[in-house]
Amino acid sequence: MAKAHDFRLENSWHPIEGEDCGGFVFTLFNLSDAPISGFKLAYTSLTRVMDDPACDNATFLMRNANFHQFAPPEGFVLAPGGCWRFTVSGLWRPAKHRTDGAKSAYLTRADGVHVPVDVDDLLLGGRPAEPAPDLLPKGAVTEPFYLLPWPKAASLTAGDAVPVALYPAEGTGVEDLKAVTTVIALYRRLFSVGHVPLSLAPVHEGRALRFRQAEDLGAEGYRLDFGDVVTLTYGGAAGRQYGLTALAQMLHGTRTEKALFRFPAAGEIADAPRYVWRGCHLDVSRQFYPVADVIRLIDILAWYRMNVFHWHLSDDEAWRLEIKAYPTLTTLGVLRGPDEPMLPQLGNGAKPVGGFYSQDDVKEIVAHALALHVEVVPEIDIPGHSTATLVALPELADGQEAPDSYRSVQGFPNNALNPAVEDTYVFLGKVFDEMVTLFPSELLHIGGDEVASNTWMASPLARKLMAEEGVEGTFGLQSYFMKRIQQMLAARGRRLAGWDEVSHGGGVDPEGTLLMAWQKPEVGVELARQGYDVVMTPGQAYYLDMVQDEAFQEPGASWAGTVPPQHTYTYEAVGDFPDALQARMRGVQACIWSEHFLNRDYFNHLVFPRLAAIAEAAWTPRERKDWQRFAALAPLSPKL
């Protein structure tokens, strides 16, 4: 019986003269005590092979999106201590970074048993080795206060004394006391060994905190006046929390880096956010995140005074939201494995994987976020990116459509819900009915991205619908579909949000619609010209799965280029918008796509400090941003 670590796959990439994309060299080692023959080797990789790749010493068997399977030559026996080496060319793109190779692997023996195979980072052939870079300079502060994001205006005098804690002055109302408790709990969750910065009871050598409300500051605005007593003036409950968080940050910084930071003895902070939308997206389809991790990410958003959590709940790889009307969505629609309804993808191997959020989980997460003034905007990605949905509900396909008649950019065959199948709208109506009871947000994000240009063209039902409705091609059908979805959402009191491709083929009614510009910055300006409200989240600056340096040793994706923290921090999303359109630019958003996040260390390396950089871009006026200051402050930030 095979044991863990009995087999290991080494993989490297090398350039090939005359082939722009180069090739892979794979070497499988047998570290067990028995020979093996008649087996197949499967691996997952974002660097995909074409349909008929050139192989040496192997036979290509199949590919499904990121899943690849090969067999050794007939009669080959892999002896204990021996290895099988084979090469593959015919790649869709060259490998550029160590995470561009195999992410997982397993063997299928002749008797059908699946055996784990260890696999690690891609090795490099044909290029000089480059050490991983330093991504942040040491940084320097001109004002000795830890505040991230930096406030709109501040005039502060540093003090020598550090209050033990801040506590509400006598006579403080119960709502203010509850707000203090909320921030105490937030701090304790993020910094479990830190000394709490706030207390409900008076504290020896503490400082009293007085509360005032002034509605003219706006819901998210606040002012802090420092002296023997600290006064927090706020416009609304969110502003009160942000002021308390700012105080907690300053005390935390003072205690953590005593030589660098001080607590104010006098002066004031007058603060309000730059943008109304300060968001962070999380893809939970490619990799599943436990509830505790989702809650901690929301805590980090609150610490940075971000106010939107965009929850990407479905994609080709899995449907993660429990829908009671369709239980197969979270049975068949989440399982990936060698013998499961969906093949392994991106880090999955011999062991089946699943995972979804029950409706009780969702209620807990939404309530937690709302208590921290973070709005949860749910996304189910339609009509494309729907492989998992169609595996769970195959009746939604046009049975007359040829299989594998089109493929998505990720290589999934026939992965889009068909606008001509009327049951599609029955299904989505029931899904929306359950979602609106779970998510109080006025917005429901319906994806709309990356529908392949020839999608549905082999569907007789789609062809018939095109003739009846007078629409042309894939994007005409998509616009027809999206307009119906928009009406369905409106009937349920919700507005449509989506990715920028929702505008294709005629789009939808721009009134009340929010679209996210991700492909490149110019798209956001064009959407604004068409009358859409826009959130800027271009991959070239705000996609946190992108590599942070060109060195091969730096992990991440690279389709949008190299995105170092300094670029993320200094990028000005509103810069290309004419004055007349700037009101359409609602804010900015980080996107955490999870293809590369196979473990927590990868997550933290890629997400931080760039998430904090986007938080400051969302809050702090351009003229108040300072890269050197940010570089000094960012290392103190919490991580997942």
Side-chain angles (χ1 to χ4, degrees), residues 251-281:
L251 268 177
H252 176 70
T254 302
R255 291 169 177 157
T256 307
E257 291 285 349
K258 302 177 183 65
L260 198 59
F261 301 116
R262 311 271 285 281
F263 193 79
E268 72 169 28
I269 293 172
D271 205 6
R274 182 179 184 184
Y275 296 122
V276 296
W277 187 286
R278 307 180 302 281
C280 179
H281 150 289

Side-chain angles (χ1 to χ4, degrees), residues 60-130:
F60 171 66
L61 299 178
M62 69 169 294
R63 176 175 75 85
N64 178 276
N66 306 293
F67 174 89
H68 302 72
Q69 191 176 53
F70 293 82
E74 188 172 352
F76 176 81
V77 177
L78 183 54
C83 66
W84 166 42
R85 182 179 184 274
F86 67 98
T87 63
V88 179
S89 59
L91 309 180
W92 278 107
R93 61 180 179 85
K96 295 183 178 181
H97 296 274
R98 64 185 172 95
T99 43
D100 284 339
K103 291 189 175 297
S104 58
Y106 67 90
L107 295 179
T108 300
R109 298 189 323 206
D111 61 2
V113 172
H114 307 294
V115 180
V117 172
D118 290 339
V119 66
D120 217 320
D121 285 343
L122 182 69
L123 299 176
L124 169 66
R127 275 176 51 184
E130 302 160 290

Side-chain angles (χ1 to χ4, degrees), residues 11-279:
N11 63 139
S12 64
W13 178 88
H14 62 99
I16 299 175
E17 187 174 351
E19 289 197 29
D20 292 340
C21 297
F24 283 132
V25 178
F26 292 100
T27 309
L28 177 69
F29 293 87
N30 182 358
L31 305 176
S32 74
D33 299 326
I36 184 171
S37 61
F39 62 89
K40 303 170 186 176
L41 171 69
Y43 70 86
T44 68
S45 175
L46 282 162
T47 307
R48 296 178 284 274
V49 304
M50 296 184 183
D51 284 343
D52 189 22
C55 302
D56 179 49
N57 202 34
T59 300
F60 171 66
L61 299 178
M62 69 169 294
R63 176 175 75 85
N64 178 276
N66 306 293
F67 174 89
H68 302 72
Q69 191 176 53
F70 293 82
E74 188 172 352
F76 176 81
V77 177
L78 183 54
C83 66
W84 166 42
R85 182 179 184 274
F86 67 98
T87 63
V88 179
S89 59
L91 309 180
W92 278 107
R93 61 180 179 85
K96 295 183 178 181
H97 296 274
R98 64 185 172 95
T99 43
D100 284 339
K103 291 189 175 297
S104 58
Y106 67 90
L107 295 179
T108 300
R109 298 189 323 206
D111 61 2
V113 172
H114 307 294
V115 180
V117 172
D118 290 339
V119 66
D120 217 320
D121 285 343
L122 182 69
L123 299 176
L124 169 66
R127 275 176 51 184
E130 302 160 290
D134 292 328
L135 298 172
L136 277 179
K138 183 178 180 181
V141 298
T142 56
E143 298 177 73
F145 307 107
Y146 181 79
L147 285 162
L148 206 170
W150 196 253
K152 182 178 180 179
S155 177
L156 300 171
T157 301
D160 294 325
V162 181
V164 172
L166 303 173
Y167 59 89
E170 187 175 350
T172 297
V174 65
E175 294 304 317
D176 295 329
L177 295 175
K178 289 179 180 178
V180 172
T181 302
T182 296
V183 175
I184 290 173
L186 172 65
Y187 182 86
R188 173 56 67 232
R189 292 192 298 270
L190 292 176
F191 305 100
S192 57
V193 298
H195 187 288
V196 288
L198 302 167
S199 167
L200 291 185
V203 178
H204 175 64
E205 295 189 1
R207 197 173 299 181
L209 175 61
R210 183 181 297 118
F211 292 85
R212 290 182 57 247
Q213 186 167 15
E215 293 183 0
D216 62 324
L217 291 179
E220 296 188 304
Y222 69 92
R223 189 173 69 244
L224 288 167
D225 292 281
F226 294 89
D228 293 338
V229 173
V230 178
T231 301
L232 168 55
T233 307
Y234 59 88
R240 175 175 55 198
Q241 177 183 292
Y242 299 153
L244 288 168
T245 304
L247 291 169
Q249 285 186 344
M250 285 189 286
L251 268 177
H252 176 70
T254 302
R255 291 169 177 157
T256 307
E257 291 285 349
K258 302 177 183 65
L260 198 59
F261 301 116
R262 311 271 285 281
F263 193 79
E268 72 169 28
I269 293 172
D271 205 6
R274 182 179 184 184
Y275 296 122
V276 296
W277 187 286
R278 307 180 302 281

Side-chain angles (χ1 to χ4, degrees), residues 449-594:
D449 61 314
E450 295 187 323
V451 175
S453 60
N454 61 335
T455 299
W456 309 306
M457 292 300 98
S459 163
L461 287 177
R463 290 282 187 180
K464 180 172 180 286
L465 179 64
M466 287 166 61
E468 291 172 351
E469 296 293 330
V471 299
E472 293 185 10
T474 294
F475 299 114
L477 282 171
Q478 178 173 313
S479 177
Y480 167 86
F481 173 82
M482 288 296 179
K483 286 172 180 174
R484 286 192 63 173
I485 298 303
Q486 187 175 44
Q487 292 167 359
M488 293 169 65
L489 293 178
R492 293 162 174 80
R494 295 296 187 269
R495 295 186 292 118
L496 185 151
W499 302 108
D500 54 55
E501 296 99 319
V502 168
S503 66
H504 290 181
V508 298
D509 182 357
E511 183 65 32
T513 299
L514 182 76
L515 298 186
M516 296 180 175
W518 68 273
Q519 297 187 72
K520 52 186 177 180
E522 307 90 271
V523 171
V525 178
E526 180 55 34
L527 292 174
R529 285 198 182 98
Q530 295 174 28
Y532 294 103
D533 284 344
V534 180
V535 168
M536 293 296 287
T537 179
Q540 296 79 4
Y542 291 162
Y543 269 33
L544 301 187
D545 57 321
M546 291 296 121
V547 291
Q548 300 176 85
D549 188 86
E550 293 182 4
F552 193 90
Q553 294 180 26
E554 187 64 21
S558 57
W559 66 261
T562 301
V563 185
Q566 185 173 7
H567 176 63
T568 298
Y569 182 81
T570 57
Y571 172 72
E572 279 293 311
V574 78
D576 296 325
F577 281 73
D579 290 346
L581 295 178
Q582 289 191 4
R584 291 277 179 205
M585 211 285 263
R586 308 297 291 161
V588 300
Q589 178 169 291
C591 280
I592 302 173
W593 297 102
S594 294

